[in-house]
Amino acid sequence: MDYSAAGSDQKKLSNGGGFQAAFPLYHMNRHEQTNVPEKPKQKANLKQEKPMQTKQSVTNINILSTAIAAFGLLSMLLAVSETAQAQARNDVPPAVFQAAGTTAASIQSTVDAFRARLGDPNNLNNPGPLEKGRREINWDGGNPNVLDTTAPVNPFLVFLNTRGSQFKTPGLGLSQAPPSGGPQGGLAVLFGNPTYAKIFKAFSLSRLFTPVGSNITEASFSIPGTNGTVPATVRGFGAVFTDVDQQADSNPNHKASTLIEYLDKDSRILFSSSVPASPGDGSLSFFGIVFDDARIASVRIQAGNVAPGPNDDRRHDIVMMDDFIYGEPQLLQGK
């Protein structure tokens, strides 16, 4: 379990971007600053005659030169100071929390540490803006007996007013469902694949969250209680995943199946990473980050390398999502 440092496929980024067709986030590199060599100074034209100067004119020129030099030095110092402040604000990496394993216990301590870093209380459905705490969505309302499969909707606005988050997908819509059972039969019936009844496991019983017709989910935030009319940012966001089998390694043909991007208010990537894998049916994974300030305006998630539907095998890593945990939404600054 890694509570602080990003892994080899995790990158803190400042450039704009989005999900490419192959979603190669683990190939993105931090942009390095390069020093451009100074151009050689041009020599003065020595052949040009200088006009005669009086003592008074020389004095005035010296005063003016001193003032210009002082102003230039002040401007340089201000520029350096502003650059340092910008780096202090934007270059501090987030705390990273990640874990994967075969049971809920494998990731529980990491999830709890992430909650603690975001801070108490869990603000549930209380309207904002609130200064402290976090919000959580576990897709069952805390009742393991809720087994309904919801029809795909896009955007998904169930928690827009109560918890300040909305979700959308390029696909048909987003649904909540247990792996199987309930009045509508769960994921097994939703995707017409009976194997889904056995290969997925809920972290918090009983329902999971999934896009339909896509493997992409996009989250954005607003102040709870405003019905999405007041945009917001959060300082951290984490999610639980089930059945992440594929992780990138030294083999260029082995690519991570599940990836997450954090973006600022201008849709620039703040941080991106693959989600840790634990091969085998029903495994659980967690990935989350926390910044010192609320700078995350949206999150993009690729759950698995294909949209749900096919059998889960070596070529198709089908992944479902469970708990979403994020910092208390704060008023968007500098719109």
Side-chain angles (χ1 to χ4, degrees):
M1 293 181 290
D2 181 356
Y3 295 164
S4 58
S8 59
D9 350 340
Q10 297 160 4
K11 305 292 179 183
K12 178 178 178 295
L13 304 167
S14 59
N15 62 310
F19 288 160
Q20 305 296 321
F23 209 104
L25 295 184
Y26 36 82
H27 294 304
M28 294 181 179
N29 295 318
R30 184 195 301 266
H31 290 289
E32 297 180 357
Q33 294 182 347
T34 56
N35 294 322
V36 179
E38 281 189 14
K39 294 181 180 179
K41 295 181 180 178
Q42 304 228 354
K43 295 183 179 179
N45 186 353
L46 300 179
K47 293 183 180 180
Q48 183 177 358
E49 288 189 16
K50 298 180 181 179
M52 190 184 333
Q53 299 172 336
T54 64
K55 181 176 180 181
Q56 182 65 38
S57 66
V58 171
T59 302
N60 290 340
I61 290 172
N62 287 340
I63 292 173
L64 179 61
S65 299
T66 302
I68 291 173
F71 179 77
L73 178 60
L74 177 60
S75 299
M76 183 179 70
L77 291 175
L78 287 173
V80 170
S81 174
E82 289 173 356
T83 300
Q85 289 177 6
Q87 289 176 344
R89 286 195 303 268
N90 299 325
D91 288 351
V92 177
V96 174
F97 299 77
Q98 56 183 341
T102 57
T103 66
S106 304
I107 66 170
Q108 186 67 61
S109 61
T110 303
V111 173
D112 289 343
F114 180 76
R115 286 176 170 135
R117 186 62 175 261
L118 288 176
D120 290 325
N122 179 354
N123 288 320
L124 302 172
N125 294 334
N126 294 321
L130 301 174
E131 293 184 4
K132 299 179 180 179
R134 65 184 189 275
R135 303 280 171 159
E136 299 193 16
I137 303 174
N138 57 24
W139 316 114
D140 353 80
N143 183 353
N145 296 317
V146 174
L147 298 173
D148 293 340
T149 299
T150 62
V153 293
N154 198 20
F156 186 94
L157 303 178
V158 174
F159 298 99
L160 175 63
N161 191 52
T162 57
R163 299 184 194 177
S165 57
Q166 66 172 307
F167 309 96
K168 61 182 180 178
T169 177
L172 177 64
L174 294 135
S175 293
Q176 304 166 101
S180 63
Q184 296 84 18
L187 297 173
V189 173
L190 178 64
F191 293 107
N193 192 326
T195 66
Y196 287 10
K198 297 181 179 179
I199 65 172
F200 300 118
K201 182 189 302 179
F203 176 68
S204 58
L205 300 175
S206 292
R207 294 194 299 186
L208 299 168
F209 189 55
T210 180
V212 178
S214 174
N215 58 343
I216 303 298
T217 300
E218 301 174 350
S220 58
F221 308 98
S222 58
I223 297 298
T226 66
N227 206 32
T229 60
V230 182
T233 53
V234 299
R235 59 191 293 255
F237 179 93
V240 173
F241 301 85
T242 179
D243 205 47
V244 181
D245 296 320
Q246 297 179 11
Q247 184 71 51
D249 57 28
S250 57
N251 186 330
N253 295 320
H254 294 172
K255 297 181 179 181
S257 70
T258 302
L259 307 138
I260 187 165
E261 257 185 353
Y262 300 85
L263 300 97
D264 68 9
K265 63 183 178 65
D266 297 314
S267 298
R268 295 175 299 193
I269 303 171
L270 296 167
F271 194 89
S272 65
S273 177
S274 62
V275 173
S278 179
D281 291 345
S283 63
L284 291 165
S285 303
F286 177 80
F287 188 89
I289 67 169
V290 181
F291 283 104
D292 289 337
D293 61 332
R295 65 179 71 176
I296 302 168
S298 61
V299 178
R300 294 175 182 166
I301 298 170
Q302 175 181 300
N305 61 3
V306 294
N311 287 341
D312 187 65
D313 54 31
R314 291 186 178 181
R315 292 192 306 116
H316 308 101
D317 191 10
I318 312 299
V319 175
M320 299 294 164
M321 299 174 288
D322 205 344
D323 296 40
F324 285 2
I325 307 170
Y326 50 97
E328 178 62 29
Q330 302 296 313
L331 288 169
L332 177 64
Q333 301 297 318
K335 289 189 289 184

